[in-house]
Amino acid sequence: MDGLPIAAQDDSWEVAGRRFRSRLIVGTGRYKDLEETGRAIEASGAEIVTVAVRRVNLGDPKAPMLQDYVDPRRYTYLPNTAGCFTAEDAVRTLRLAREAGGWNLVKLEVLGPPPFLYPDMRATFEALEALLKDGFEVMVYCSDDPIAAKRLEEMGAVAVMPLGAPIGSGLGIQNPVMIRSIIENAKVPVLVDAGVGTASDAAIAMELGCDAVLMNSAIAHAKDPVQMARAMKAAVEAGRLSFLAGRMPRQYAADPSSPLAGLIR
Amino acid sequence: MEATIPISVNGEARQVPAAATLADLLAQIGLDIRKVAVERNLEIVPRSRYAETPLAAGDRLEIVHFIGGG
């Protein structure tokens, strides 16, 4: 962090009582192999990584596991409910995750059908209610709907995470107005989760005032994932600094940068 | 010959000795128990109780771990 202004060095954020310096959360899926996963995550500077919960392969019990390449003592594992299409499945999955990992901070996502896998908010509300009763601290993937986001917060979600575009689409932030509206009304952290395709998308999300950005495919499916992880780290930092600095006002005419006084005649 | 009972593990049918515990099964499969979680008939079995959890005929076990995901 050398060279950054003091304000940026102190610029941490908090979710569910845990404090983090990095505002980039990365997924651990879709990489070529576990070795590449480990290197890309290291390069991203992320402190939180999302992970999925799946059956172990009984035929190959000694196969390398994610923990061998992404150390859970170094990174905060955020178990997700990817692949769950009902509230019941989501709750069951996260109970197993809590037992496997020993912590209760989780990411809830209950998705609708392909091709958009858009958040199923009715099922999401139902799952959130059950998870909160069971003592989980829940970061919730949600639609870019200010009413839904507010309701999640009021129910007790520790963070709301609207999509910028469909999962894995890489289309960038399609809905800056609604994301901004969610941020302005929220008392819990707001993260853009899903939709980022390239570094400028991450910067845009941060310039809108998000607390952090969550991404997976934008890094894992880049031609060079480790290089893209570095780009995303820089973009999130740049977007955050830009948000804190406060952009100049837009105006629809030129305004010269050099003084007009003292011109030679 | 030792009597065995049928159980299901991650959807696969298996036979285990009638007196086996969950700890015995995990050792037989060869899993590092620090990296997995187990659900028995839809109930989580805490890691501390594997050795004192007997298996019963018809048990349905799910053994899971963390993998890469977004």
Side-chain angles (χ1 to χ4, degrees), chain A residues 74-91:
Chain A
R74 172 171 174 195
Y75 299 98
T76 298
Y77 271 31
L78 184 67
N80 70 22
T81 58
C84 295
F85 292 88
T86 66
E88 191 187 354
D89 284 349
V91 174

Side-chain angles (χ1 to χ4, degrees), chain A residues 109-134:
Chain A
E109 56 185 301
V110 189
L111 307 180
F116 296 119
L117 302 177
Y118 201 74
D120 179 336
M121 291 312 297
R122 193 172 69 170
T124 301
F125 291 132
E126 191 186 329
L128 176 62
E129 193 172 5
L131 289 167
L132 292 170
K133 269 189 200 147
D134 204 1

Side-chain angles (χ1 to χ4, degrees), chain A residues 27-29 50-56 58 61-62 65-68 77 80 92 95-97 99-100 107 109 216, chain B residues 9-12 14 29-31 35-39 42 44-47 62-70:
Chain A
T28 54
T50 61
V51 296
V53 178
R54 291 292 181 274
R55 285 173 164 172
V56 297
L58 298 175
K62 297 296 180 202
M65 289 193 187
L66 185 65
Q67 289 99 316
D68 302 326
Y77 271 31
N80 70 22
R92 196 176 158 203
R95 282 182 179 146
L96 279 163
E99 174 59 23
K107 169 181 166 177
E109 56 185 301
N216 187 342
Chain B
V9 185
N10 289 358
E12 290 177 20
R14 274 189 177 239
I29 296 171
L31 287 166
K35 292 177 184 167
V36 302
V38 181
E39 185 191 81
L42 302 177
I44 302 282
V45 184
R47 197 168 284 137
E62 291 287 344
I63 307 175
V64 302
H65 66 154
F66 290 124
I67 66 156

Side-chain angles (χ1 to χ4, degrees), chain A residues 6-260:
Chain A
I6 297 297
Q9 291 187 21
D10 292 345
D11 181 38
S12 58
W13 68 290
E14 192 177 304
V15 61
R18 298 159 172 85
R19 189 155 281 284
F20 299 97
R21 291 167 64 94
S22 172
R23 292 174 179 270
L24 175 57
I25 298 179
V26 294
T28 54
R30 312 186 88 176
Y31 287 93
K32 188 178 70 190
D33 52 35
L34 286 169
E35 194 268 333
E36 185 184 75
T37 311
R39 282 192 302 127
I41 286 164
E42 164 102 48
S44 76
E47 296 167 309
I48 306 176
V49 299
T50 61
V51 296
V53 178
R54 291 292 181 274
R55 285 173 164 172
V56 297
N57 179 357
L58 298 175
D60 191 7
K62 297 296 180 202
M65 289 193 187
L66 185 65
Q67 289 99 316
D68 302 326
Y69 291 84
V70 181
D71 186 349
R73 287 165 301 185
R74 172 171 174 195
Y75 299 98
T76 298
Y77 271 31
L78 184 67
N80 70 22
T81 58
C84 295
F85 292 88
T86 66
E88 191 187 354
D89 284 349
V91 174
R92 196 176 158 203
T93 298
L94 291 177
R95 282 182 179 146
L96 279 163
R98 178 166 60 184
E99 174 59 23
W103 53 82
N104 62 359
L105 181 66
V106 296
K107 169 181 166 177
L108 172 66
E109 56 185 301
V110 189
L111 307 180
F116 296 119
L117 302 177
Y118 201 74
D120 179 336
M121 291 312 297
R122 193 172 69 170
T124 301
F125 291 132
E126 191 186 329
L128 176 62
E129 193 172 5
L131 289 167
L132 292 170
K133 269 189 200 147
D134 204 1
F136 285 96
E137 294 176 298
V138 193
M139 300 172 71
V140 187
Y141 177 62
C142 61
S143 57
D144 55 332
D145 171 349
I147 310 296
K150 196 68 195 172
R151 182 160 171 209
L152 292 170
E153 176 187 308
E154 287 166 356
M155 286 174 71
V158 296
V160 294
M161 308 200 291
L163 75 168
I167 291 171
S169 68
L171 288 171
I173 312 303
Q174 297 293 303
N175 45 5
V177 177
M178 286 301 113
I179 299 278
R180 185 190 294 276
S181 149
I182 290 170
I183 293 165
E184 278 173 358
N185 289 304
K187 296 192 183 70
V188 294
V190 177
L191 291 79
V192 161
D193 178 359
V196 167
T198 191
S200 52
D201 298 333
I204 287 169
M206 293 309 297
E207 286 172 3
L208 289 171
C210 286
D211 291 278
V213 180
L214 199 164
M215 66 181 73
N216 187 342
S217 306
I219 296 174
H221 278 189
K223 280 186 187 159
D224 181 341
V226 176
Q227 186 123 309
M228 187 58 89
R230 275 188 221 119
M232 290 301 183
K233 178 177 193 282
V236 167
E237 286 170 5
R240 177 64 184 174
L241 284 172
S242 176
F243 171 74
L244 292 176
R247 61 155 296 141
M248 65 165 284
R250 286 182 173 86
Q251 50 188 3
Y252 292 91
D255 183 6
S257 309
S258 305
L260 292 175

Side-chain angles (χ1 to χ4, degrees), chain A residues 99, chain B residues 5 7 16-26 38-41 43-56 59-61:
Chain A
E99 174 59 23
Chain B
I5 51 171
I7 61 168
V16 295
T21 64
L22 181 53
D24 297 333
L25 174 72
L26 294 169
V38 181
E39 185 191 81
R40 176 180 176 233
N41 304 327
E43 295 279 339
I44 302 282
V45 184
R47 197 168 284 137
S48 57
R49 298 226 306 265
Y50 291 167
E52 60 197 66
T53 301
L55 297 175
D59 273 357
R60 299 178 63 80
L61 301 173

